[in-house]
Each structure stands twice: as structure tokens, then as C-alpha cells.
Amino acid sequence: MRVGMLTSGGDCQSLNATMRGVGKALFSMYNDLTIFGFEDGYHGLIYSQYHQMERKEFSGILTRGGTILGTSRTPFKLINEPDVNGLNKVASMVHTYKQLKLDCLIVLGGNGSLKTANLLSEQGLNVIGCPKTIDNDLWGTDMTFGFHSAVAVATNAIDCIHSTAASHKRVFIVEIMGHKVGMMTLYAGLAGGADIILIPEMPYHIESVCAAIEQRYQGGSPFSIIAVAEGAMSYEDAQLSKKELKKKLENSKYPSVSYELADQIFQRTGIEVRVTVPGHTQRGGEPVPYDRVLATQFGVEAANLVKKGEFGNMVAMKNNIITKIPLKEVAGKLKQVDPNSQLVQEAKEIGISFGD
Ligand code: F6P
């Protein structure tokens, strides 16, 4: 059995834990196993950069952040374009796979990476996907590994802001990752006791945000904490076309939505506002126990799919059961926060404003 493995896209805390699950399960299934680890994501598959992963490489990595294979972004929209030297990337990946006589390729990746995984599957390669991303925005799985660890970091950022916000009677904005999806912000905002949560799926009205701040002020709470998704947008911005929004952002004097919001809140309320951006710390450090368990489950399931020859699938979690879903059903689809979900409703019921 010859298996290739790679980690692609932005890293997250339990990539190593997942590879450990795959490796340990496969080594206990096969005596004749060779695992090739491709370096820096699809880059390694395109340019034949890999090494043979020994059994011992999968030990001692359960708690280690990052990825022992390295990762890189290989944008799906450019996958069919030749590289700077005119190399056909897809053909090159197929070539590496065939040259190494692989029986299958396991891809640990998020949205874009799994689109490429599906493309390779359509090219006739045996591919299995594992749902990685702190954003938890992958369609077809209730949970992705990395999400809960990143939420823990973001929550800690909000926790640390609480005491200083109260002492200074200021408004604090904590900007949380998640790309175009507000899942992380919703969870971290709730876990950290944010007063206002702004997510891309629920465009905000600046008047409602300021009203929520002032209402707290009048109610005897002269500080507010706003958890803002990096992809959050105002109601006005949400009406713009993609092109118009891109132009607006390119010409904006603000580094991100949080700074624009801070300015608007100060102009309207006169209350001091500070912005904190935990940024890539959210992807760093050790995975939380939940992610270690989930990563192990996903890794073992990926090994089971190899054993059963069930290729062209992504391992997934549905209703707390570890299962699989065809890659072609996942590719290109985004999972977003449902504004009518129970969680959003519950948040509203305890007085959290979404600025909507
Ligand atoms: O997809 C994970 C993620 O961390 C997003 O939340 C964020 O928008 C993006 O990656 C940042 O990407 P990069 O690490 O390339 O700056």
C-alpha cells in the first residue's frame, strides 16, 4: 500500500494530530505500507518534493501546532494556469502520483484545497479529503478540525479585554478570523461574553450598533465589547456588487472593517474605541482536547476509507457521527451561519446585539 499525504492552505492547530491518526491507523492495518509526505501542500505534489514518512514520525505530534509537512496556498482559480516556467500543474500532480505508484492521496485542507482534491479525483486519482480549517466553513461537515482551538484563542483575547474595557469605560472591538464566515466570531463572541457580535451573514446597521452601546451605557455598563468577524460588513456595503465592494476596500483608509467601525462609533457616540486584532495567533499553539479527539477520529476514518477503497470522499462529522461525503458534493460550497439558527436566537435572547 502506497499512500501520499499533504496539508494545504492556511495551517491550524490539529493538522499534526490528524496525520498522526491517519499514520497510526494505517501502520496498524498494513505491513507493506509506504507513506509519502508531500512538502508545503500541493507545491510538493506539483514539484515532486516529498519524503517517506516513517512510523516514528507520527509519534509525539498529537499536541504540536502547525504541520510537520509544511503548507502553502495553491489557489484553485490558478490551478489550470501554467506556472512561471510554463508547467501544467494538474498534469504534473497526476504525473508525481503515477510515478510514485500511489494507491491514494490524502489531502488535509479547507475549501480551496478540497476543490483541487476533487479535481484530482476527477482526473482519476484516488483521493480522500480531511476537513481542516479554523473557519468551520466547509459544507458537508458539522465540524472541521482546528475550529475549536482557534475559538479558544479568540475567546481568550476577548477575556483579556474584559477587565481593561471595564476600567477605562471604553468600547473594545476584537476582530476575529473566519474569512467570509462568522462561525468563529459567533462562538468566540458567545464564549467571551461579547455584548455585540457582527458577522458577514448578518450585515449590521451602524445606528443599531451605537444604540446597543448607548443602551448599555445608560443601563450602568459604561463599556462594551464587540466581536467583529474580519468579513463583517455594514448593510450599505452588503448592497454593493462584488466589484464595487472590492473598489471600496482598495481605496479605504482603514486596514480592516474594525477600524472603520471604530471611527464611526466614536464619531456618533464620542466614546473612546480601541481595536484588538489577534490575527494569526488564532491559528497557533496547541490544539484543544476536542480537536485532538476529532482529528484522531477523522484520521482513523480516512485510513478506514483507504482500506475499504472508498475514494473520492471527504471524512465528515454529521450529528456527532463520523462519516463521509463525496468530494464532488463538497467542492465549491460554503457553510455559513444561519441567522435564524438556534444559537443566534439564543444569543439574542440574552441581549446580544447583532446590529441587524
Ligand atoms: O482560512 C483560514 C484563515 O485563517 C482565515 O480565517 C483568514 O481569513 C485567512 O486564513 C488568512 O490567510 P493567510 O494566512 O494567508 O493570511
Side-chain angles (χ1 to χ4, degrees):
M1 173 58 64
R2 295 166 74 82
V3 176
M5 187 148 61
L6 61 85
T7 57
S8 171
D11 72 345
C12 72
Q13 291 92 335
S14 38
L15 280 164
N16 290 326
T18 308
M19 285 194 275
R20 171 182 175 271
V22 176
K24 284 193 179 248
L26 282 177
F27 273 111
S28 65
M29 282 173 190
Y30 296 98
N31 293 321
D32 60 340
L33 176 71
T34 311
I35 301 183
F36 296 93
F38 293 99
E39 283 146 28
D40 300 334
Y42 287 113
H43 188 273
L45 188 61
I46 296 170
Y47 300 104
S48 269
Q49 289 166 1
Y50 58 85
H51 70 273
Q52 213 170 302
M53 299 181 84
E54 304 298 338
R55 185 190 281 257
K56 65 174 184 316
E57 218 173 318
F58 296 101
S59 290
I61 58 169
L62 176 63
T63 61
R64 198 190 303 174
T67 158
I68 56 171
L69 286 179
T71 186
S72 63
R73 292 198 185 274
T74 312
F76 180 75
K77 61 177 180 213
L78 302 178
I79 206 75
N80 283 310
E81 287 186 19
D83 77 354
V84 282
N85 298 314
L87 184 83
N88 180 322
K89 293 175 212 150
V90 177
S92 188
M93 289 193 278
V94 173
H95 175 77
T96 307
Y97 179 100
K98 292 201 168 147
Q99 201 183 34
L100 289 174
K101 297 188 173 52
L102 295 184
D103 292 298
C104 81
L105 173 71
I106 299 179
V107 173
L108 283 66
N111 269 311
S113 307
L114 292 176
K115 274 201 252 176
T116 301
N118 182 51
L119 179 84
L120 293 175
S121 173
E122 285 169 354
Q123 296 286 316
L125 308 191
N126 295 330
V127 184
I128 290 166
C130 288
K132 166 240 66 163
T133 169
I134 63 165
D135 305 337
N136 194 18
D137 62 350
L138 268 172
W139 199 87
T141 184
D142 294 342
M143 195 49 67
T144 57
F145 63 84
F147 173 71
H148 275 291
S149 302
V151 165
V153 179
T155 302
N156 183 50
I158 300 176
D159 288 347
C160 293
I161 291 295
H162 257 284
S163 53
T164 179
S167 341
H168 284 276
K169 304 181 180 54
R170 286 169 169 164
V171 168
F172 270 90
I173 294 176
V174 182
E175 183 176 293
I176 296 170
M177 274 189 169
H179 198 43
K180 293 182 178 161
V181 167
M183 209 73 80
M184 271 188 68
T185 308
L186 177 60
Y187 270 70
L190 270 166
D195 308 298
I196 299 168
I197 296 178
L198 304 180
I199 58 174
E201 294 88 341
M202 302 171 74
Y204 64 85
H205 294 275
I206 188 64
E207 300 80 15
S208 309
V209 174
C210 293
I213 294 167
E214 272 162 351
Q215 204 181 339
R216 276 181 55 77
Y217 206 94
Q218 279 149 21
S221 302
F223 72 95
S224 292
I225 294 184
I226 315 181
V228 177
E230 61 180 356
M233 61 178 87
S234 65
Y235 178 78
E236 292 73 24
D237 283 357
Q239 308 309 308
L240 299 175
S241 68
K242 247 181 163 179
K243 209 170 153 192
E244 287 167 333
L245 185 63
K246 197 170 168 228
K247 199 168 165 205
K248 187 204 152 181
L249 295 177
E250 276 166 7
N251 296 326
S252 172
K253 62 177 177 175
Y254 304 105
S256 71
V257 59
S258 299
Y259 292 89
E260 180 176 6
L261 185 68
D263 207 5
Q264 289 173 333
I265 293 171
F266 179 68
Q267 297 302 334
R268 285 168 187 260
T269 65
I271 302 173
E272 262 191 302
V273 189
R274 293 287 185 273
V275 176
T276 296
V277 184
H280 287 77
T281 63
Q282 292 163 97
R283 296 212 311 238
E286 287 186 355
V288 295
Y290 178 94
D291 269 339
R292 298 179 200 183
V293 175
L294 182 67
T296 305
Q297 290 185 284
F298 278 161
V300 171
E301 182 65 6
N304 283 330
L305 294 183
V306 173
K307 181 90 178 162
K308 291 189 265 181
E310 295 188 14
F311 303 115
N313 284 303
M314 178 186 85
V315 298
M317 178 188 256
K318 276 277 164 201
N319 303 321
N320 267 331
I321 304 284
I322 302 296
T323 178
K324 63 177 194 304
I325 177 160
L327 275 171
K328 63 173 183 295
E329 280 184 33
V330 174
K333 288 192 209 151
L334 201 63
K335 182 178 72 188
Q336 293 177 297
V337 173
D338 174 1
N340 298 313
S341 64
Q342 202 176 14
L343 197 54
V344 171
Q345 294 317 310
E346 286 158 353
K348 286 186 171 178
E349 281 172 38
I350 61 161
I352 295 175
S353 165
F354 284 81
D356 57 340

